[in-house]
Amino acid sequence: MRRTVVVTDPPRADDAVATALGELGTATVHEAMGRGGYLGPQFRPAWTGAQTGGTAVTVECWPGDNLMIHVAVEQCRPGDVLVVATTSPSSDGLFGELFATSLMQRGVRGVVLGTGIRDVADLRRLEFPAWSTAVSAQGTVKATAGAVNVPIVLGGQVINPGDVVVGDDDGVAVVPRAHAADTLAKAEARVANEEAARQAFKGGELGLDRYGMRERLADFGIEYVSYEDYHKGE
Amino acid sequence: MRRTVVVTDPPRADDAVATALGELGTATVHEAMGRGGYLGPQFRPAWTGAQTGGTAVTVECWPGDNLMIHVAVEQCRPGDVLVVATTSPSSDGLFGELFATSLMQRGVRGVVLGTGIRDVADLRRLEFPAWSTAVSAQGTVKATAGAVNVPIVLGGQVINPGDVVVGDDDGVAVVPRAHAADTLAKAEARVANEEAARQAFKGGELGLDRYGMRERLADFGIEYVSYEDYHKGE
Amino acid sequence: MRRTVVVTDPPRADDAVATALGELGTATVHEAMGRGGYLGPQFRPAWTGAQTGGTAVTVECWPGDNLMIHVAVEQCRPGDVLVVATTSPSSDGLFGELFATSLMQRGVRGVVLGTGIRDVADLRRLEFPAWSTAVSAQGTVKATAGAVNVPIVLGGQVINPGDVVVGDDDGVAVVPRAHAADTLAKAEARVANEEAARQAFKGGELGLDRYGMRERLADFGIEYVSYEDYHKGE
Amino acid sequence: MRRTVVVTDPPRADDAVATALGELGTATVHEAMGRGGYLGPQFRPAWTGAQTGGTAVTVECWPGDNLMIHVAVEQCRPGDVLVVATTSPSSDGLFGELFATSLMQRGVRGVVLGTGIRDVADLRRLEFPAWSTAVSAQGTVKATAGAVNVPIVLGGQVINPGDVVVGDDDGVAVVPRAHAADTLAKAEARVANEEAARQAFKGGELGLDRYGMRERLADFGIEYVSYEDYHKGE
Amino acid sequence: MRRTVVVTDPPRADDAVATALGELGTATVHEAMGRGGYLGPQFRPAWTGAQTGGTAVTVECWPGDNLMIHVAVEQCRPGDVLVVATTSPSSDGLFGELFATSLMQRGVRGVVLGTGIRDVADLRRLEFPAWSTAVSAQGTVKATAGAVNVPIVLGGQVINPGDVVVGDDDGVAVVPRAHAADTLAKAEARVANEEAARQAFKGGELGLDRYGMRERLADFGIEYVSYEDYHKGE
Amino acid sequence: MRRTVVVTDPPRADDAVATALGELGTATVHEAMGRGGYLGPQFRPAWTGAQTGGTAVTVECWPGDNLMIHVAVEQCRPGDVLVVATTSPSSDGLFGELFATSLMQRGVRGVVLGTGIRDVADLRRLEFPAWSTAVSAQGTVKATAGAVNVPIVLGGQVINPGDVVVGDDDGVAVVPRAHAADTLAKAEARVANEEAARQAFKGGELGLDRYGMRERLADFGIEYVSYEDYHKGE
């Protein structure tokens, strides 16, 4: 049942792990989780090249109302990423440059919003990483209470305070706190495998061979036919 | 009732006011209007960093038909922004680089389209400000009449010829001609207030305190609970 | 009827023609085809400034499954553009940087996907041209067979292997192999016409006059009315 | 500039005219206005078969907030249709069965919402005509002021209090008060013409002949080719 | 390359086959084609319960322009279904009750539009089967030529004149003329199989067993865990 | 981290409570939860009038793959509602009439899918309650494992096995098992309050007065102005 509450001092994932996951990027982290944790293609960076990793401070706002973001700023600590959901669909601009200024002063590494963002030219200039589902100048009220540091859902993923949030040009992924270290280990192994594959592909090896797929093609029912045979009799 | 008409020489907002509003940007102007005039998140800049302010020349086209843009060019004067609506939803590319060339020759400052735009790489190179609801190479016909300099609706806002149109990376806002000077005064006051807040936030002050929200939190029913207490008994 | 087949060695459009069409760009090529061949505004470049022209290797995948892209890489030859459709709507990220590395090694000029793409920061760094209907980190399986080098439909256009595919910031167009040379001739004529118009517009000529539209305005029923007369009696 | 105001006792279009326009239906009224006034395909009836015509009481709400609908009910008189816009996009359910009960007691003929509606099974049972851009059970707050009986924009159309609002299974159209009688006359003439065409079509006459289009086909550049000739040489 | 042409007297699939496929319905026909030919979820019936099967008369219109539908009516013969694409995205109402009246007089069995339809209450009353991607009262012009009985693309499917078009509450599917008889045979076999499965399921058999999936679950890596074990240690 | 698991015999909410909640309907249940638990307007009934309440059996499928629904059927017990999420966005038709037949044999009360459904005419005939985010005939494969009876997210809500799922024409809501009885009590109280309000409204009382809003209008800054005064000086 919904409560209008601010939960204080949640435990957080290890900062070094969160930082390292942020450097590995969204797709790699998502794959390392067994293809989990991705918030989907609706979440777009406010500026090209934004990249971050940090621990979630979660916020639940009413649509078109940023009261709880003001409340949440005080709960943010260095290394955090602010993550904002609204209780129903909205594209209003709940976050802008003044919030970014305040968060940067507190050592916050970025923001993720399941609603609109504004002042994107300023955010780009400040190099404050930000992802949202819309860019909108639409202003907001401060009239209805929500919650801070409760579990929220964004892009089909549950985000708890203290979870690791990773973002880059591919979007945003969340790693549950309890799985952060394990995910990092798997992600690093994946990166090593990919580097080997990269070198092989540069040398002309095919994925068909490298991944052992060629011998399974017949099982898939895939037949090879020349262009002439395929179009014969048309 | 719809008329196929070209209205000539509408009165225009003061050029210095339009220019100044353009420099203040969409979000500030929108807020100064009591959170009005914003065309919504569907209107996106054709290239990152586009910014302008000018007086509206309005055009009503049939979908997929840019006849009336050709007619409207002649009505444009220095300091204008061309604003184009279609009579029903369409994403076809009604505007491209040749129109921009013609408009630049006439001192026009930009274009806003509730339909598609094309040649966006050229527009970026020419630094011609442009906003639209789609990027589309789809070509158009010149077969059906519309209107120039009549009131149009775009993004839920009424735009009259001579109104001020402001655009930046956050989208587009319109200021009615009669309210342009007043909106500028309010917008400038807002900018001053925001600069003071910016400095305070850089110094560590919180919005909660600066905006006097902390004392109202209890009225909102917001309670503070430790993480341990919140999850007790799960 | 659907077949799980790889068609080998389809004839291809002339490489010099494909290259030249790519340099002319999507809007020009689309117009030269009588306003045909455009895949629509849903296809967006993965990075600003991407531009290419090449011959299609077509792929039909199941949604969320990139098995057939692995199969298709082997069919790619220098000058090709890989073109991928899914059998039902999906935004999953079927293509990323490792595929791009492999394709670049083979001289492939770009990729067009009617589904999601990922690693877009890497693609930008590699300058590998790519267009898609979504950016998504969502990983995929390799579980279900599709087809390579069969006719596919993307954005309402039929694409056959060997057809010319052209892409830039305005999106993507396809030119049937049999019409490539003819389209190039028409496109080049169009470019020449446009350059003449460009110079005329820079000199202040109006499209109304240049295109002979002014004398037809009365036929369209367009009347010119002064602002005062239009608003008289309100 | 936005004002939080309730405008009382606006003049209204003639009730008999509004009723008659409602019986003629949305498409006919839209055509009679020179193809104007239609709110677009996003507005759908809450139940199949809803049809109405009445005079607008306009409401501007904040998204997710139905305070002003409560205020507006008191302003409604027999023969009115309540028309609700939100200041930014939202799908929350601002209107349900209890409002319908209250409005029916006052002789109101229907509701049109540019946001969500709920209790649609009850509305169907009550046969209370309703159109909206979403069906949503999402509940709302009563926290932010808006306006009643000011001009609003819905679906690209300006609606003033007292204008005629017409709705059926094809959606919703608005007729400015000053044009209601004239539109009714044109609509009735159109219906008569259509009835004559209907009888002709039942008798086998073609629109090509009835509307004099056949003789213009050559001007359009339309050529007739047999199937065999068209596919010759493929 | 686009041509403004009317192709006359295309060969058509066998009428009895088309009728039989229509009775089997969209999902069954789609499956019988190896999961092909489906136009996707955007195509919705204008009224619940519409069902048909017939041979395609294809039309290519400009958006917001129904000139070519007038031309196409004359090409329709008993047993046909009119299928209409626009050259770019549009939701305007290109088709309504008068067209339906004319088509019914000619023995046409339905209409499929990749654009808007209107007069849906009348179509329901007339029981004229119709599918479209939008319901819209928006009126149209007759200003730009297109084509009749050329190959068109709708919902990602190529439709040739004379192909079989099947529609019901699940949407629309197309069967190439050359595969109509074969598809019917496969569809009938599928119906027989489904009837056997239906009886088995009514008797309590599980699909897991009937389709031999249970023994493959371990290969899929699927493990069974009790609720207590799954949540142990949380 | 994702696991391919079938969790057996989860505890379920009380059946009488689930049944009663289903009879109260989605909007009432959502309000009783403090405006929580609603899956949003994307979830639509497959047929008008569907209504149910039961306990969730949860399924996580890959897009376009219904293998795990086959697995889940065996886990269903009388009084359950099957609830299906896909791991990424899809509209393919994962569920149809044969599944419904099997589930009805097991006493299952309905299905909720965050993907497509088909055979909707049959489901209507069978009166099997069903909600989905799309209607699609698109067939599926059985190639990739997922999970049964793990927590899933649908429409921004977490659904655990055994939670109560409620659906009607307004969409779908979920009530956590631990809050089911409390929610029922609150919902019943709400229904009683609404019935009193209904009678009052039928008698002409206004919500403004009944809910004590009239005295707060001045605090909201709402002013009443006559039409003449509002438009004075225009």
Side-chain angles (χ1 to χ4, degrees):
Chain A
M1 313 300 276
R2 209 180 288 287
R3 284 174 64 186
T4 52
V5 68
V6 179
V7 177
T8 56
D9 290 308
R12 304 191 293 173
D14 182 76
D15 181 68
V17 170
T19 301
L21 286 167
E23 287 165 0
L24 293 173
T26 300
T28 295
V29 168
H30 159 73
E31 288 284 348
M33 294 176 71
R35 292 186 196 128
Y38 181 53
L39 271 62
Q42 273 68 44
F43 286 78
R44 302 298 304 139
W47 45 278
T48 298
Q51 180 152 4
T52 203
T55 42
V57 169
T58 64
V59 191
E60 185 175 77
C61 289
W62 283 86
D65 191 310
N66 65 7
L67 169 64
M68 298 313 290
I69 301 183
H70 283 284
V71 174
V73 169
E74 191 175 30
Q75 304 304 316
C76 290
R77 293 167 288 183
D80 281 337
V81 170
L82 194 70
V83 186
V84 182
T86 54
T87 51
S88 63
S90 175
S91 62
D92 292 356
L94 264 69
F95 186 97
E97 175 257 343
L98 283 181
F99 272 134
T101 299
S102 198
L103 290 176
M104 290 175 83
Q105 194 273 341
R106 300 180 74 81
V108 172
R109 295 188 183 149
V111 66
V112 177
L113 301 129
T115 180
I117 198 168
R118 65 184 191 179
D119 303 332
V120 295
D122 294 313
L123 298 177
R124 185 171 64 236
R125 183 178 45 77
L126 293 171
E127 297 191 358
F128 185 74
W131 291 259
S132 68
T133 51
V135 172
S136 173
Q138 177 66 42
T140 55
V141 295
K142 299 167 210 337
T144 304
V148 174
N149 279 335
V150 300
I152 62 173
V153 172
L154 220 51
Q157 303 297 330
V158 178
I159 307 181
N160 283 283
D163 285 351
V164 176
V165 173
V166 168
D168 63 16
D169 283 352
D170 290 347
V172 178
V174 59
V175 187
R177 180 168 55 97
H179 295 295
D182 181 45
T183 298
L184 178 57
K186 287 180 180 160
E188 286 173 339
R190 182 178 170 87
V191 166
N193 282 342
E194 287 195 340
E195 176 56 22
R198 189 174 294 114
Q199 295 309 321
F201 293 163
K202 283 184 179 170
E205 190 178 354
L206 289 172
L208 264 189
D209 298 307
R210 184 168 183 86
Y211 302 130
M213 301 164 73
R214 189 182 300 278
E215 52 267 36
R216 297 165 50 213
L217 294 181
D219 294 342
F220 278 119
I222 298 172
E223 47 177 339
Y224 282 73
V225 183
S226 72
Y227 183 83
E228 288 68 29
D229 285 351
Y230 188 72
H231 291 277
K232 194 170 294 173
E234 284 194 354
Chain B
M1 314 300 276
R2 209 181 288 290
R3 287 174 60 187
T4 53
V5 69
V6 180
V7 178
T8 55
D9 290 310
R12 301 191 296 172
D14 182 78
D15 181 68
V17 170
T19 301
L21 285 167
E23 288 165 359
L24 292 173
T26 300
T28 295
V29 168
H30 159 72
E31 288 283 347
M33 295 177 73
R35 297 190 193 122
Y38 181 54
L39 272 61
Q42 272 68 45
F43 287 78
R44 301 299 305 139
W47 46 279
T48 299
Q51 181 154 1
T52 203
T55 42
V57 170
T58 64
V59 190
E60 186 173 78
C61 289
W62 283 85
D65 191 309
N66 65 6
L67 168 64
M68 298 313 290
I69 301 182
H70 283 284
V71 175
V73 170
E74 190 175 30
Q75 304 304 316
C76 289
R77 293 167 289 181
D80 281 338
V81 171
L82 194 71
V83 187
V84 183
T86 54
T87 51
S88 62
S90 175
S91 63
D92 292 356
L94 264 68
F95 187 97
E97 174 258 343
L98 283 180
F99 272 134
T101 299
S102 198
L103 290 177
M104 290 175 82
Q105 194 273 339
R106 300 180 75 80
V108 172
R109 295 190 184 147
V111 67
V112 176
L113 301 129
T115 180
I117 198 168
R118 65 185 190 180
D119 303 332
V120 294
D122 294 312
L123 299 177
R124 187 172 62 235
R125 182 178 46 77
L126 293 171
E127 297 191 358
F128 186 72
W131 291 260
S132 67
T133 51
V135 172
S136 173
Q138 178 66 42
T140 55
V141 294
K142 301 170 208 333
T144 303
V148 174
N149 279 335
V150 299
I152 61 173
V153 172
L154 220 51
Q157 304 296 331
V158 178
I159 307 181
N160 283 282
D163 285 350
V164 176
V165 174
V166 168
D168 64 15
D169 284 352
D170 289 346
V172 178
V174 59
V175 187
R177 179 167 56 96
H179 295 295
D182 181 45
T183 298
L184 178 57
K186 286 180 180 161
E188 287 173 338
R190 183 178 170 86
V191 165
N193 282 342
E194 287 195 340
E195 177 56 21
R198 189 174 294 114
Q199 295 309 320
F201 294 163
K202 283 182 179 171
E205 192 179 353
L206 289 172
L208 263 189
D209 298 307
R210 185 170 183 85
Y211 302 132
M213 301 163 73
R214 191 183 298 278
E215 51 268 34
R216 297 167 48 213
L217 294 182
D219 295 343
F220 278 121
I222 297 172
E223 45 177 340
Y224 283 72
V225 183
S226 73
Y227 184 82
E228 287 68 30
D229 284 352
Y230 187 73
H231 291 278
K232 195 171 290 173
E234 284 194 351
Chain C
M1 313 300 276
R2 209 182 288 289
R3 284 174 63 185
T4 51
V5 69
V6 179
V7 177
T8 57
D9 290 309
R12 302 191 296 173
D14 182 77
D15 181 67
V17 170
T19 301
L21 285 167
E23 288 165 0
L24 293 173
T26 300
T28 295
V29 169
H30 159 72
E31 288 282 349
M33 295 176 72
R35 295 187 196 124
Y38 181 53
L39 272 61
Q42 273 69 44
F43 287 78
R44 303 299 303 139
W47 46 277
T48 299
Q51 180 153 3
T52 204
T55 41
V57 169
T58 64
V59 190
E60 185 173 78
C61 289
W62 283 87
D65 191 309
N66 66 6
L67 169 64
M68 298 314 289
I69 301 182
H70 283 283
V71 174
V73 170
E74 190 176 31
Q75 305 303 316
C76 290
R77 294 166 288 183
D80 281 337
V81 170
L82 193 71
V83 187
V84 182
T86 54
T87 50
S88 63
S90 175
S91 61
D92 291 356
L94 264 69
F95 186 97
E97 174 257 344
L98 284 180
F99 272 133
T101 299
S102 198
L103 290 177
M104 290 175 82
Q105 194 274 339
R106 299 180 74 84
V108 172
R109 295 186 185 154
V111 67
V112 176
L113 301 130
T115 180
I117 198 169
R118 64 185 191 179
D119 303 332
V120 293
D122 294 313
L123 299 176
R124 187 171 61 236
R125 182 177 46 78
L126 293 170
E127 298 191 359
F128 185 74
W131 291 260
S132 67
T133 52
V135 172
S136 173
Q138 178 67 42
T140 54
V141 294
K142 301 168 206 339
T144 303
V148 174
N149 279 334
V150 299
I152 61 173
V153 172
L154 220 52
Q157 304 296 331
V158 177
I159 307 181
N160 282 283
D163 285 351
V164 176
V165 174
V166 168
D168 63 16
D169 284 351
D170 289 348
V172 178
V174 59
V175 187
R177 180 167 55 96
H179 295 294
D182 181 45
T183 298
L184 178 57
K186 287 179 180 161
E188 287 173 338
R190 182 178 172 85
V191 165
N193 282 342
E194 287 195 339
E195 177 56 21
R198 188 174 295 114
Q199 295 310 321
F201 294 164
K202 281 184 180 172
E205 191 178 354
L206 289 172
L208 264 189
D209 298 308
R210 184 170 183 85
Y211 301 132
M213 300 163 73
R214 190 184 298 278
E215 52 268 34
R216 297 167 50 215
L217 295 182
D219 294 342
F220 278 119
I222 297 173
E223 45 177 340
Y224 283 72
V225 183
S226 73
Y227 183 82
E228 287 68 29
D229 285 353
Y230 187 72
H231 291 278
K232 195 171 292 176
E234 283 196 353
Chain D
M1 314 301 278
R2 210 181 288 289
R3 285 175 63 187
T4 51
V5 68
V6 179
V7 178
T8 55
D9 289 310
R12 302 191 296 172
D14 182 77
D15 181 67
V17 170
T19 300
L21 286 167
E23 287 165 1
L24 293 172
T26 300
T28 295
V29 168
H30 158 74
E31 289 283 348
M33 295 177 72
R35 293 186 198 127
Y38 181 54
L39 272 61
Q42 273 69 43
F43 287 78
R44 302 298 305 137
W47 46 278
T48 298
Q51 180 153 3
T52 202
T55 42
V57 169
T58 64
V59 190
E60 185 174 77
C61 288
W62 282 87
D65 191 311
N66 66 5
L67 169 64
M68 298 314 291
I69 301 182
H70 283 284
V71 175
V73 169
E74 190 176 28
Q75 305 303 316
C76 291
R77 294 167 287 183
D80 282 336
V81 171
L82 193 71
V83 186
V84 182
T86 55
T87 51
S88 62
S90 176
S91 62
D92 292 355
L94 264 69
F95 186 97
E97 173 258 344
L98 284 181
F99 272 133
T101 299
S102 198
L103 290 177
M104 291 175 81
Q105 194 274 340
R106 299 180 75 82
V108 172
R109 294 189 184 150
V111 66
V112 177
L113 301 128
T115 181
I117 199 168
R118 63 184 191 181
D119 303 333
V120 295
D122 294 313
L123 299 176
R124 187 173 61 237
R125 183 178 45 77
L126 293 171
E127 297 191 0
F128 185 73
W131 291 260
S132 68
T133 51
V135 172
S136 173
Q138 178 67 42
T140 56
V141 293
K142 299 167 207 337
T144 303
V148 173
N149 279 336
V150 299
I152 61 172
V153 172
L154 221 51
Q157 304 295 333
V158 179
I159 307 180
N160 283 283
D163 286 351
V164 176
V165 174
V166 168
D168 63 16
D169 283 351
D170 289 348
V172 178
V174 58
V175 186
R177 179 168 56 96
H179 295 294
D182 181 45
T183 298
L184 178 57
K186 287 179 180 162
E188 286 172 339
R190 183 178 171 85
V191 165
N193 282 341
E194 287 195 342
E195 177 55 23
R198 189 174 295 113
Q199 296 309 323
F201 294 164
K202 283 183 179 171
E205 190 178 355
L206 288 173
L208 264 188
D209 298 308
R210 185 170 183 83
Y211 302 131
M213 300 164 74
R214 190 183 298 278
E215 52 269 33
R216 296 166 52 215
L217 294 181
D219 294 341
F220 278 120
I222 298 172
E223 45 177 342
Y224 283 71
V225 184
S226 74
Y227 184 82
E228 287 68 29
D229 286 350
Y230 187 73
H231 291 277
K232 193 171 293 174
E234 285 196 352
Chain E
M1 313 300 277
R2 208 181 292 287
R3 285 175 63 186
T4 51
V5 67
V6 179
V7 178
T8 56
D9 290 310
R12 302 190 296 172
D14 183 77
D15 182 66
V17 171
T19 301
L21 285 167
E23 288 165 1
L24 292 173
T26 300
T28 295
V29 168
H30 158 73
E31 288 284 347
M33 294 176 73
R35 297 189 193 122
Y38 181 53
L39 272 60
Q42 273 69 44
F43 287 78
R44 302 299 304 139
W47 46 278
T48 299
Q51 180 153 2
T52 202
T55 41
V57 169
T58 64
V59 190
E60 186 174 77
C61 289
W62 283 87
D65 191 309
N66 65 7
L67 169 64
M68 299 312 291
I69 301 182
H70 283 284
V71 175
V73 170
E74 189 175 32
Q75 305 303 316
C76 289
R77 295 167 287 184
D80 281 337
V81 171
L82 193 69
V83 187
V84 182
T86 55
T87 52
S88 61
S90 175
S91 61
D92 292 356
L94 264 69
F95 186 97
E97 174 258 344
L98 283 180
F99 272 133
T101 298
S102 198
L103 291 177
M104 290 175 83
Q105 194 274 339
R106 298 179 77 81
V108 173
R109 295 187 185 152
V111 66
V112 176
L113 300 129
T115 181
I117 198 168
R118 63 184 192 181
D119 302 334
V120 294
D122 294 312
L123 299 177
R124 187 172 61 235
R125 183 178 45 78
L126 293 171
E127 296 190 0
F128 185 73
W131 291 260
S132 68
T133 51
V135 172
S136 173
Q138 178 64 44
T140 56
V141 295
K142 302 171 206 333
T144 303
V148 174
N149 278 335
V150 300
I152 61 172
V153 172
L154 220 52
Q157 304 296 332
V158 178
I159 307 181
N160 283 282
D163 286 350
V164 177
V165 173
V166 169
D168 64 16
D169 283 351
D170 289 346
V172 178
V174 58
V175 187
R177 178 167 56 96
H179 295 293
D182 181 45
T183 298
L184 177 58
K186 287 179 179 162
E188 287 174 337
R190 183 178 170 86
V191 165
N193 282 339
E194 286 196 340
E195 177 55 22
R198 188 173 295 114
Q199 295 310 323
F201 293 164
K202 282 182 180 173
E205 191 179 355
L206 290 171
L208 263 189
D209 298 308
R210 185 170 183 85
Y211 301 131
M213 300 164 73
R214 189 184 297 279
E215 51 269 33
R216 296 167 51 215
L217 294 181
D219 295 342
F220 277 120
I222 298 173
E223 44 176 342
Y224 283 72
V225 183
S226 73
Y227 183 82
E228 287 68 30
D229 286 351
Y230 187 71
H231 291 277
K232 193 171 294 175
E234 284 196 350
Chain F
M1 314 299 278
R2 208 181 290 289
R3 286 174 63 186
T4 51
V5 68
V6 179
V7 177
T8 56
D9 290 310
R12 303 191 295 173
D14 182 77
D15 182 67
V17 171
T19 301
L21 286 166
E23 287 164 1
L24 293 174
T26 300
T28 295
V29 168
H30 159 73
E31 288 282 348
M33 294 176 73
R35 294 187 196 125
Y38 180 54
L39 272 62
Q42 273 67 45
F43 287 79
R44 302 298 305 137
W47 46 279
T48 298
Q51 180 153 2
T52 203
T55 42
V57 169
T58 64
V59 190
E60 185 174 78
C61 288
W62 283 86
D65 190 309
N66 66 6
L67 168 64
M68 298 312 290
I69 301 182
H70 283 285
V71 175
V73 169
E74 190 176 29
Q75 305 303 317
C76 290
R77 295 167 286 184
D80 281 336
V81 171
L82 194 71
V83 186
V84 182
T86 54
T87 52
S88 63
S90 175
S91 62
D92 293 355
L94 264 69
F95 186 97
E97 174 258 343
L98 283 180
F99 272 132
T101 300
S102 198
L103 290 177
M104 290 175 82
Q105 192 274 340
R106 299 180 76 80
V108 172
R109 296 189 183 149
V111 66
V112 176
L113 301 130
T115 182
I117 200 168
R118 63 184 191 182
D119 303 333
V120 295
D122 294 312
L123 299 177
R124 187 172 61 236
R125 182 178 45 77
L126 293 171
E127 298 191 358
F128 185 73
W131 291 260
S132 67
T133 51
V135 172
S136 173
Q138 178 66 43
T140 55
V141 294
K142 300 168 209 336
T144 304
V148 174
N149 279 335
V150 299
I152 62 173
V153 172
L154 220 53
Q157 304 296 333
V158 178
I159 308 180
N160 283 283
D163 286 351
V164 176
V165 173
V166 169
D168 64 16
D169 284 352
D170 290 346
V172 178
V174 59
V175 187
R177 178 167 55 96
H179 295 294
D182 181 46
T183 298
L184 177 57
K186 287 179 180 162
E188 287 173 339
R190 183 178 170 87
V191 165
N193 282 341
E194 287 196 341
E195 176 55 22
R198 189 173 294 113
Q199 296 310 321
F201 293 164
K202 283 183 179 170
E205 191 179 354
L206 289 172
L208 263 189
D209 298 307
R210 185 170 183 83
Y211 301 132
M213 301 164 72
R214 191 183 296 277
E215 51 269 33
R216 296 167 51 213
L217 294 182
D219 294 342
F220 278 120
I222 297 173
E223 44 177 343
Y224 283 73
V225 184
S226 73
Y227 183 82
E228 287 69 29
D229 286 351
Y230 188 72
H231 291 277
K232 193 171 294 175
E234 286 196 351

